[in-house]
Amino acid sequence: MKIAILSRNPKLYSTRRLYEAAKQAGHEVDVIDTLQCYMDITSSRPTVRYHGEELPRYDAIIPRIGASVTFYGTAVARQFEMMGTYNINESVAISRSRDKLRSLQLLSRKGVGLPRTGFASKPDNIKDLIKNVGGAPVVIKLLEGTQGIGVVLADTAKAAESVIEAFMGLKANILVQEFIKEAGGADLRCLVVGGKVVAAMKRQGAEGEFRSNLHRGGSAEVVKLSKAERETALNAAKVMGLNFCGVDLLRSANGPMVMEVNSSPGLEGIERATKLDVAGKVIEFIEKKAKANASNSTKG
Ligand code: ADP
């Protein structure tokens, strides 16, 4: 097969691992810088051009689109889709997953476990917003934050009001969420590939830190998921329409709760913690799907 990995940097661990796994399985692989692609969208024969030449037809693409380039990155992925190339994570699903609020709304509609969450733009009653998610302590999150930046724990209603007012003064969109204390500063990262949890790890925040992000000094270890946790992760991936994603769960007294579904999950932390070949699983899944996609398009 001919596979393209859409990634801005071939040196990144996840990009390298996917490249190696595809090569090892005997495929032709190119790493393509998404932002260097340009497209002809006017003709009835959609193409993608790159460094002055038309790109060949790929059987499959693996989009690794950073949060800061979602708009253009998903447009490039969509162009490949229009050319009949199999895309492991469809562009619409990536766009959907990048909007935290929209994701939570979709997950809640399908009854996936979530922390109680409120969202508001300019509420005249901040006290009620806090009360509505169960009162302090609450977690306040910037909608556009990543890697734990812009995630604040407010212990008291007074502190929560001040933080909410401050964020709103900056015209930032925020979520107000019930604090799941019993998670103990830990969360579960479940790596889903093709409707299976292929690896899972528990991330524990550093001493005195409620955020478990590895970038914030958290540590990771292998974890055995309960049936409910596995089902919740798979359900979340399905609702989001993602074949390859990371689902972050909190262990709460009321069962597993989804915090986030990530459409470009990093492989470094999870492969190091579990010693599993996640990249290999991604390629295996693509082999099955791209073949089915090719035979469908010749039939059609
Ligand atoms: P980001 O997407 O920036 O990583 P998250 O929403 O995943 O932000 O939050 C960062 C970390 O903070 C999580 O990994 C988790 O450990 C902790 N956390 C987030 N929300 C809650 C919550 N409602 N209750 C308890 N801990 C939380």
Side-chain angles (χ1 to χ4, degrees):
M1 277 200 319
K2 234 174 146 42
I3 300 175
I5 302 169
L6 303 186
S7 167
R8 295 229 55 210
N9 184 352
K11 295 202 185 86
L12 292 176
Y13 179 93
S14 304
T15 308
R16 263 195 299 120
R17 286 286 301 118
L18 290 163
Y19 180 89
E20 282 164 15
K23 276 270 180 213
Q24 212 162 24
H27 303 298
E28 267 179 69
V29 205
D30 291 328
V31 176
I32 291 175
D33 181 346
T34 327
L35 293 191
Q36 291 295 326
C37 290
Y38 47 104
M39 303 164 271
D40 178 359
I41 53 169
T42 49
S43 74
S44 56
R45 197 180 69 89
T47 55
V48 177
R49 298 187 66 80
Y50 191 64
H51 298 322
E53 281 172 33
E54 186 176 326
L55 281 176
R57 188 176 174 314
Y58 290 99
D59 300 295
I61 56 166
I62 307 175
R64 303 285 307 171
I65 294 167
S68 59
V69 297
T70 302
F71 177 75
Y72 196 71
T74 50
V76 173
R78 201 178 309 121
Q79 185 81 354
F80 280 105
E81 289 163 13
M82 294 198 308
M83 292 159 68
T85 299
Y86 175 73
N87 180 5
I88 187 163
N89 280 339
E90 277 189 28
S91 53
V92 281
I94 298 173
S95 307
R96 198 184 285 141
S97 75
R98 287 293 153 80
D99 182 336
K100 275 192 197 186
L101 177 61
R102 183 175 176 195
S103 302
L104 293 175
Q105 285 173 320
L106 292 170
L107 293 168
S108 82
R109 187 178 63 182
K110 295 287 177 182
V112 177
L114 300 171
R116 280 177 72 179
T117 305
F119 173 80
S121 165
K122 274 197 213 90
D124 55 2
N125 196 334
I126 292 178
K127 283 195 176 70
D128 189 57
L129 181 65
I130 298 167
K131 206 170 87 203
N132 197 41
V133 298
V138 291
V139 176
I140 300 154
K141 298 185 187 184
L142 278 178
L143 220 48
E144 290 82 17
T146 57
Q147 300 180 350
I149 297 163
V151 179
V152 181
L153 172 60
D155 282 317
T156 63
K158 266 272 151 279
E161 280 174 45
S162 310
V163 174
I164 293 170
E165 275 167 8
F167 278 157
M168 286 185 170
L170 295 169
K171 301 206 179 345
N173 286 314
I174 51 158
L175 293 176
V176 181
Q177 201 164 64
E178 154 192 23
F179 175 52
I180 309 298
K181 187 166 190 282
E182 61 272 26
D187 72 356
L188 307 175
R189 163 53 67 100
C190 313
L191 232 295
V192 177
V193 179
K196 289 200 184 84
V197 178
V198 298
M201 66 175 168
K202 180 176 169 181
R203 298 181 298 191
Q204 180 72 56
E207 189 65 36
E209 171 62 75
F210 81 100
R211 295 168 297 181
S212 60
N213 304 70
L214 300 182
H215 292 95
R216 312 210 63 78
S219 58
E221 60 179 77
V222 192
V223 70
K224 184 152 174 39
L225 299 180
S226 69
K227 189 161 172 268
E229 287 161 354
R230 192 172 294 273
E231 279 171 4
T232 303
L234 293 180
N235 219 352
K238 193 168 156 212
V239 171
M240 299 303 295
L242 293 165
N243 288 312
F244 171 30
C245 61
V247 181
D248 294 343
L249 300 178
L250 288 171
R251 281 185 160 157
S252 88
N254 298 318
M257 290 183 170
V258 175
M259 260 185 317
E260 193 170 33
V261 183
N262 190 325
S263 56
S264 280
L267 298 185
E268 187 166 13
I270 195 121
E271 285 198 335
R272 293 232 157 103
T274 63
K275 312 267 185 296
L276 290 168
D277 176 12
V278 176
K281 298 273 187 225
V282 172
I283 302 301
E284 266 172 42
F285 175 73
I286 285 179
E287 285 167 358
K288 266 192 282 171
K289 285 308 223 186
K291 232 174 254 163
N293 182 57
S295 63
N296 275 346
S297 55
T298 47
K299 269 183 227 148

